[in-house]
């Protein structure tokens, strides 16, 4: 089987040399190989289902058809295919395509998470195999994501306004943006590269600039969500949905921003986005203190006993390695060290790859800690763990 992968536009300053000289290379390579072995081991159990969150016995509960996390297991399979060329990974990943066709048939199923859903499925398939239907599906998803852009206020509305419980849901979502959307912008950037259409890039850049202005605070912490007047576009206030409090700093949100801005900088060459990633990363590093794995919200009163979030650590590590690749060698050394520290924390306290009973890769993920969903395997934590390991080892071709 011949694999096709298009080269990313961004270049890296001495990245290959710096990666090769780091002392953690062998440990990270062994961990990545265990991830691939775990995917092979669980393939007959998982089948065509898509993990949603881990259960106490370290098995998976599974997604419904339109869940925002539906693509993260597929993303792991595509990464495994890229690394191994093993057609069993190709078959398992490609067999999920019907799920993504179905998302495009149902307007109510489409929100800002189209980027997560299609970058790690159809874009991945197009980049690795050159399949034209996969490309067409991804471009259709990008067009639907573009429709969510409000050009007057320059933001992508996160969720759909639906009348539930007397209209409360509608009132909550109208005019609301969330930090997670920074990860979904990659689908728009990819569509711009594929088509040359400027509106894809304009929406991605506009939303990134609005996020930087309104969700990133002056002290480089971040809101989870921000609310605009849906009629006038006037900025109203920052709030939280999954964090500890409106004025707190939810660790996974900070990680989404670090990865998102680093990726935007790598894609566009915009130094303001690289600086945003740098400032957000420095703040997260300071807030973590001596911890190896981030607490679920950096502002919780009793951080030492609060749940950790391995997914925040994995996402942040992957983003930190992107940032390192954009920096001159002296600064890059700092970020490679921080990325290695984050992976080290995950390997020391969360690694399930050597546990034959566990169906996932990482323990101690906090899906929604304030709602009681913590200390669980999470498919997005697992995906970004693989991505972070690969980036730490010098791989630079991904699906974003």
């Amino acid at each position: 089987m011949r694999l096709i992968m298009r080269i990313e536009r961004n270049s890296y300053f001495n990245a290959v040399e710096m990666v090769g000289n780091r002392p953690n290379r062998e440990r990270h390579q062994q961990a990545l190989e265990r991830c691939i072995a775990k995917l092979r081991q669980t393939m007959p159990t998982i089948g065509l289902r898509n993990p949603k969150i881990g259960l106490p016995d370290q098995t998976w509960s599974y997604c419904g058809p339109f869940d925002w996390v539906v693509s993260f297991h597929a993303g792991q399979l595509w990464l495994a295919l890229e690394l191994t060329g093993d057609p069993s990974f190709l078959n398992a990943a490609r067999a999920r395509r019907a799920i993504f066709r179905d998302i495009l048939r149902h307007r109510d199923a489409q929100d800002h998470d189209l980027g997560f859903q299609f970058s790690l499925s159809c874009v991945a398939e197009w980049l690795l195999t050159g399949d034209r239907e996969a490309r067409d599906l991804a471009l259709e998803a990008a067009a639907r994501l573009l429709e969510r852009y409000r050009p007057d206020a320059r933001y992508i509305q996160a969720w759909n306004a639906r009348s539930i419980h007397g209209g409360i849901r509608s009132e909550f979502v109208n005019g609301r943006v969330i930090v997670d959307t920074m990860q979904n912008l990659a689908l728009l950037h990819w569509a711009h590269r594929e088509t040359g259409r400027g509106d894809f890039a304009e929406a991605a850049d506009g939303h990134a600039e609005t996020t930087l202005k309104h969700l990133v605070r002056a002290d480089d912490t971040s809101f989870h969500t921000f609310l605009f007047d849906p009629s006038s576009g006037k900025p109203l206030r920052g709030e939280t949905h999954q964090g500890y409090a409106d004025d707190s700093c939810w660790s996974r949100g900070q990680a989404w921003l670090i990865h998102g801005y680093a990726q935007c900088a790598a894609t566009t060459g915009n130094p303001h986005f690289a600086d945003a990633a740098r400032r957000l990363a420095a703040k997260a590093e300071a807030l973590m203190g001596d911890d190896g794995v981030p607490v679920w919200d950096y502002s919780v009163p009793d951080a030492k006993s609060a749940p950790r979030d391995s997914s925040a650590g994995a996402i942040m590590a992957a983003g930190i390695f992107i940032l390192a690749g954009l920096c001159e060698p002296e600064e890059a050394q700092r970020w490679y060290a921080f990325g290695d520290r984050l992976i080290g924390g995950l390997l020391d306290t969360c690694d399930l790859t050597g546990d034959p009973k566990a169906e996932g890769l990482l323990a101690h993920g906090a899906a929604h800690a304030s709602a009681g969903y913590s200390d669980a395997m999470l498919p997005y934590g697992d995906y970004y763990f693989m991505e972070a390991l690969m980036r730490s080892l010098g791989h630079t071709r991904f699906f974003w």
Side-chain angles (χ1 to χ4, degrees), residues 16 46 82 98 106 110 112 123 137 142 173 178 187 230 233 238 243 281 288 298 308 315 341-343 355 367 389 391:
V16 174
I46 293 173
E82 181 186 347
H106 293 82
Q110 299 163 24
H112 75 128
V123 172
L137 290 171
V173 303
I178 67 174
L187 181 65
M288 281 186 65
Y298 294 120
R308 305 287 110 181
I315 295 161
R341 174 188 155 194
L342 290 166
I343 289 182
D355 184 343
L389 288 168
R391 290 189 186 277

Side-chain angles (χ1 to χ4, degrees), residues 203-222:
D205 291 344
H207 182 89
E209 289 164 5
T210 297
T211 296
L212 184 55
K213 183 177 180 180
H214 293 292
L215 277 85
V216 179
R217 303 185 184 107
D219 67 353
D220 299 327
T221 62
S222 53

Side-chain angles (χ1 to χ4, degrees), residues 61-321:
S61 63
Y62 294 99
C63 294
F66 305 136
D67 200 296
W68 77 274
V69 307
V70 74
S71 64
F72 287 104
H73 188 71
Q76 294 171 67
L77 295 171
W78 289 117
L79 289 179
L81 174 66
E82 181 186 347
L83 290 167
T84 68
D86 184 339
S88 65
F89 292 125
L90 170 66
N91 294 336
R94 178 174 277 169
R96 288 168 160 77
R97 190 188 294 178
I99 296 166
F100 302 99
R101 288 196 199 101
D102 209 30
I103 289 172
L104 293 177
R105 293 190 188 105
H106 293 82
R107 284 278 180 173
D108 287 347
Q110 299 163 24
D111 60 20
H112 75 128
D113 288 319
L114 287 164
F116 279 126
Q117 291 165 337
F118 284 83
S119 291
L120 299 183
S121 60
C122 295
V123 172
E125 182 171 0
W126 162 246
L127 293 176
L128 285 174
T129 72
D131 186 278
R132 299 294 298 188
E133 185 191 4
R135 177 182 183 272
D136 291 345
L137 290 171
L139 286 175
E140 184 178 351
R144 301 286 178 84
L145 182 58
L146 181 62
E147 291 173 3
R148 307 186 67 81
Y149 184 61
R150 308 293 183 259
D152 51 345
R154 305 183 76 209
Y155 68 83
I156 294 169
Q157 179 165 307
W159 296 310
N160 296 329
R162 293 192 295 271
S163 182
I164 299 175
H165 302 307
I168 295 174
R169 173 71 177 178
S170 180
E171 292 173 6
F172 179 78
V173 303
N174 275 333
R176 189 172 298 276
V177 300
I178 67 174
V179 291
D180 313 41
T181 307
M182 284 300 301
Q183 290 291 282
N184 291 290
L185 300 183
L187 181 65
L188 298 177
H189 284 304
W190 169 80
H192 170 64
R193 293 195 299 271
E194 286 294 311
T195 66
R197 282 179 48 181
D199 52 353
F200 286 123
E202 289 165 11
D205 291 344
H207 182 89
E209 289 164 5
T210 297
T211 296
L212 184 55
K213 183 177 180 180
H214 293 292
L215 277 85
V216 179
R217 303 185 184 107
D219 67 353
D220 299 327
T221 62
S222 53
F223 291 112
H224 178 202
T225 82
F226 197 91
L227 189 64
F228 295 85
D229 185 302
S231 299
S232 68
K234 177 183 176 181
L236 299 177
R237 61 188 176 274
E239 297 180 341
T240 195
H241 180 59
Q242 287 183 255
Y244 172 70
D246 288 341
D247 60 353
S248 72
C249 186
W250 178 49
S251 64
R252 189 161 69 245
Q254 191 87 354
W256 290 136
L257 290 172
I258 293 165
H259 192 293
Y261 278 112
Q263 184 60 46
C264 282
T267 301
T268 67
N270 187 327
H272 296 295
F273 295 155
D275 185 61
R278 178 182 293 112
R279 291 189 289 111
L280 289 155
K283 188 66 176 183
E285 184 179 31
L287 290 170
M288 281 186 65
D290 296 331
D291 288 346
V293 179
V295 66
W296 75 274
D297 190 299
Y298 294 120
S299 306
V300 293
D302 188 6
K304 290 300 181 184
S305 62
R308 305 287 110 181
D309 186 7
S310 58
S311 74
I315 295 161
M316 182 157 51
I320 291 294
F321 287 123

Side-chain angles (χ1 to χ4, degrees), residues 30-77:
Q30 291 172 352
L32 184 58
E33 290 172 9
R34 292 196 304 273
C35 291
I36 294 169
K38 177 68 71 176
L39 288 171
R40 282 201 179 97
Q41 173 199 329
T42 58
M43 201 178 296
T45 300
I46 293 173
L48 291 182
R49 298 176 295 181
N50 293 285
K52 179 178 177 65
I53 189 170
L55 299 171
D57 64 356
Q58 296 180 336
T59 62
W60 288 116
S61 63
Y62 294 99
C63 294
F66 305 136
D67 200 296
W68 77 274
V69 307
V70 74
S71 64
F72 287 104
H73 188 71
Q76 294 171 67
L77 295 171

